[in-house]
Every structure is written in structure tokens, then in C-alpha cells.
Amino acid sequence: MENVFDVIIIGSGPAGLTAALYTTRANLKTLVIAGRAWGGQLILTTLVENYPGFPEGIQGPDLMTAFRKQAEHHGAEIVDVDFKTADYGSTPVKIRTDDDKEYSARTVIIATGADTKWLGVPGEKERIGRGVSSCAPCDAPFFRNKNAIVVGGGDSAMEEALVLTKFASSVTIVHRRGEFRASQIMQKRVKENPKIKLIFNSEIVEILGENKVEKVKIKNNLTNEISEMPIEGVFVAIGHIPNSALFQGIDRDEKGFIKVYNHTKTNIDGVYVAGDVHDAEYKQAVTAAGFGCMAVLEVEK
Ligand code: NAP
């Protein structure tokens, strides 16, 4: 039965491909449904300086190509198509892909990741990686002695701002309402940091500059007044959108993150989850890879 696998992994970012490395080395027949845009968020990134093992950093696409080759080297079968549906009621689980093929899986690992929620304002998309970022732990060192804005009012925005202060000359948090939703302790740390300024009731409506970020237009939501502010970096920290919509029947929280009940198990027996599709907290390539490893150790049990 050629299309029956011990494990089918859905997703091909650091979580999915690390899981594939561990399943294949555990002699489990493995299929990775990689998606038509494979490689997760790192495939869209330039220099990655915080993945251990690369003293000079590594380009995101090179890192993901190495992940993929390593999984394939150990025997993972990888198809570059999108997951469509799963019938969790049948044993083994039946999975359909968007090329109308059907596969069967004794166990499933969902590792479809999450996408950054961007502002969607003019000038943002084309400057991602040129002053616009969503990851201070990744990109803060590029803003040494520069001025940066962080957008958002949650814990992520507080954390991004605090990380940035280690490098930037000044950090301004711009938040659309008059109060943060972040935890009190994070707010306290931010308010006590002399490098951080706060702008409330305001939104960025446009990002400007020749190639890179040079200034932003900020709208005051109370007066509708628009002003310009020179700035070199814009860190967007307004949340993530987990890629979980296609997993009907799998429990998700109110933001769509897949719920984990026991280590990496979902509410359905034999269906596990790894990486940013369940992790709203850490969201790092190295933690996603760690979750991929953990899921397989649970599968093996
Ligand atoms: P979050 O709590 O959902 O906060 C998102 C923030 O972005 C909110 O302040 C929201 O404004 C703002 N926002 C959303 N859409 C926007 C838009 N289009 N334009 C402008 N602002 C917008 O997300 P998060 O901060 O990523 O945190 C996610 C979860 O991870 C939370 O449970 C958090 O506690 C946790 N986390 C914890 C830590 C930590 O403890 N160290 C660190 C990071 C994350 P409104 O407030 O007006 O809705």
C-alpha cells in the first residue's frame, strides 16, 4: 500500500522538517505535505543570525534548503502540494491534497506555522527586510544607534521594544488605543526604560523612504491629524495568524492557535501539533524545530 505512511507531516518550516528528520531516523515511513510555497517564514527571510550553529549567520532560504535536504537524505518523501482535507474518523487517517491525491496516515503532525499580521499600509510590504521587520530578536542588531518604532500594544510589542533598546538609540511604541493590553509586568519594564517613548491613540498610515524606511505618517485617532516622523525601523508586533483554518475538528483557541492537551497532542488521538501553529509565545525557528522534535518523540511513544 504505497500511499500509507506511518506519519504524515503537514508543513515544511523548521517544525515540519525537523519532525521529518526525527521520524525518518526512527524508521517511520514519512510523507511531508510541504505546501506549494514550502519552507515557512524563513524562506522569505534574508540573513538569519540567531539559528545556532552558524557563527556568521545564514540566509533563510539556504537554511531551509539544508533542513529539506537533511530530511530527504534520511528518506522523507516530500510533495510540494497543499493540504486540503483530512478524515480523522477513519483509521488510518485519510488525507487529501489539492492535486486530488489521497494518502493514509497512522499518525499526523500538523506543522503549518503562522503568518505575521502586517499593517497593510502603503509602503510596508516592499520595505520588509529594508527597515520593516516583525522580529526584534532577529533584526535588532541591524538597528544599532538608530531610531525605531514598534507598533502594537500586547506583550509582543513590549518585548520587541525592550529587545530593541539594547541596540537602538531610541524606540517609540505606537499603539492604536489609549492603553496597552500587555501584562502589567511588561508594561512596567517598558515604562521604566528611558530609551522607550510611547505614542497612544495613533496608527501608522504610511511608510516612506527611498528603498529603505526613512519616515512614517502617523494618524492621531482622536483628532485624525496626520504627522510625519523620521525613523529608520518599523517593527510590527500586532499578532500572528496561525495557519489552522483547514483543520476542522481540531480544537483551536479564539485566535485560531491549535490547542495542545498533553505535550504535543491535539484533541484527536494520533494527531499531533508542532511549531507556530500552536505557539503564540516564542515564535522562533529554533523553538519551532524543538517542537518538531518533541512531537516525534511523543509519536514514537
Ligand atoms: P496580542 O496580545 O493579540 O496583541 C496585539 C496588539 O496589536 C494589540 O495591542 C492590538 O491592539 C494591536 N493590533 C492588532 N491589530 C492591529 C492593527 N491592524 N493595527 C494596529 N494595532 C493592531 O498579540 P501579541 O502581543 O503577539 O501576543 C500574543 C500572545 O502571546 C499573548 O497571549 C501574549 O500574552 C503572549 N506573549 C507573551 C509574552 C511574554 O509574556 N513575554 C511575549 C510575547 C507574547 P488592541 O489592543 O487595540 O486590540
Side-chain angles (χ1 to χ4, degrees):
M1 293 232 289
E2 172 191 350
N3 275 356
V4 179
F5 291 84
D6 294 316
V7 186
I8 291 185
I9 297 161
I10 307 166
S12 57
L17 292 175
T18 301
L21 172 63
Y22 273 75
T23 51
T24 48
R25 294 196 71 262
N27 215 15
L28 297 168
K29 191 179 176 211
T30 301
L31 175 73
V32 179
I33 298 175
R36 289 188 184 270
W38 79 276
Q41 293 189 67
L42 285 192
I43 209 100
L44 308 169
T45 310
T46 52
L47 188 64
V48 179
E49 288 192 316
N50 59 359
Y51 200 88
F54 302 95
E56 312 295 328
I58 179 166
Q59 292 293 317
D62 293 344
L63 181 57
M64 291 324 297
T65 301
F67 266 70
R68 180 172 177 142
K69 278 191 183 153
Q70 195 173 2
E72 284 173 329
H73 172 76
H74 288 284
E77 199 175 312
I78 301 183
V79 288
D80 292 291
V81 294
D82 282 335
F83 165 84
K84 201 168 157 194
T85 55
D87 176 3
Y88 306 108
S90 69
T91 315
V93 174
K94 285 202 175 4
I95 289 185
R96 269 194 176 280
T97 48
D98 71 345
D99 55 350
D100 272 332
K101 292 217 168 99
E102 190 173 273
Y103 302 92
S104 298
R106 296 195 173 88
T107 48
V108 176
I109 299 174
I110 298 172
T112 43
D115 291 331
T116 297
K117 200 172 155 193
W118 295 102
L119 297 170
V121 298
E124 175 185 54
K125 199 171 163 197
E126 57 270 34
R127 290 184 185 81
I128 295 171
R130 295 168 176 208
V132 175
S133 170
S134 64
C135 181
C138 318
D139 295 336
F142 302 126
F143 292 85
R144 192 181 292 279
N145 301 328
K146 295 184 177 170
N147 301 308
I149 277 175
V150 174
V151 185
D155 281 325
S156 293
M158 305 300 116
E159 206 160 79
E160 298 272 300
L162 290 164
V163 169
L164 272 163
T165 57
K166 300 199 171 78
F167 300 91
S169 319
S170 81
V171 179
T172 305
I173 302 179
V174 177
H175 180 41
R176 64 182 176 184
R177 288 189 299 128
E179 57 183 302
F180 291 137
R181 69 167 63 235
S183 55
Q184 289 305 320
I185 179 144
M186 295 297 279
Q187 291 197 38
K188 186 166 181 281
R189 282 184 202 152
V190 157
K191 286 173 183 164
E192 285 173 358
N193 191 309
K195 276 194 180 178
I196 300 180
K197 297 174 206 155
L198 309 177
I199 300 182
F200 286 105
N201 298 307
S202 298
E203 282 177 55
I204 305 236
V205 290
E206 189 170 356
I207 300 172
L208 302 138
E210 291 259 328
N211 294 318
K212 55 186 176 36
V213 174
E214 287 170 7
K215 61 183 172 184
V216 289
K217 280 189 185 167
I218 302 179
K219 184 179 106 183
N220 182 314
N221 287 336
L222 302 178
T223 62
N224 283 335
E225 209 174 288
I226 294 181
S227 55
E228 283 191 357
M229 178 174 166
I231 204 79
E232 288 144 308
V234 177
F235 284 75
V236 180
I238 60 171
H240 284 77
I241 304 163
N243 296 316
S244 64
L246 292 176
F247 301 106
Q248 299 302 324
I250 305 281
D251 286 356
R252 290 170 287 166
D253 70 14
E254 68 285 354
K255 287 186 179 155
F257 289 94
I258 290 180
K259 285 191 185 174
V260 178
Y261 288 92
N262 184 3
H263 297 291
T264 58
K265 294 179 183 157
T266 69
N267 59 308
I268 293 184
D269 272 351
V271 181
Y272 298 76
V273 63
D276 289 9
V277 71
H278 85 277
D279 166 33
E281 181 101 26
Y282 303 107
K283 302 171 281 194
Q284 300 301 302
V286 66
T287 50
F291 281 126
C293 161
M294 281 162 58
V296 177
L297 298 181
E298 291 300 316
V299 166
E300 280 191 77
K301 275 189 202 163

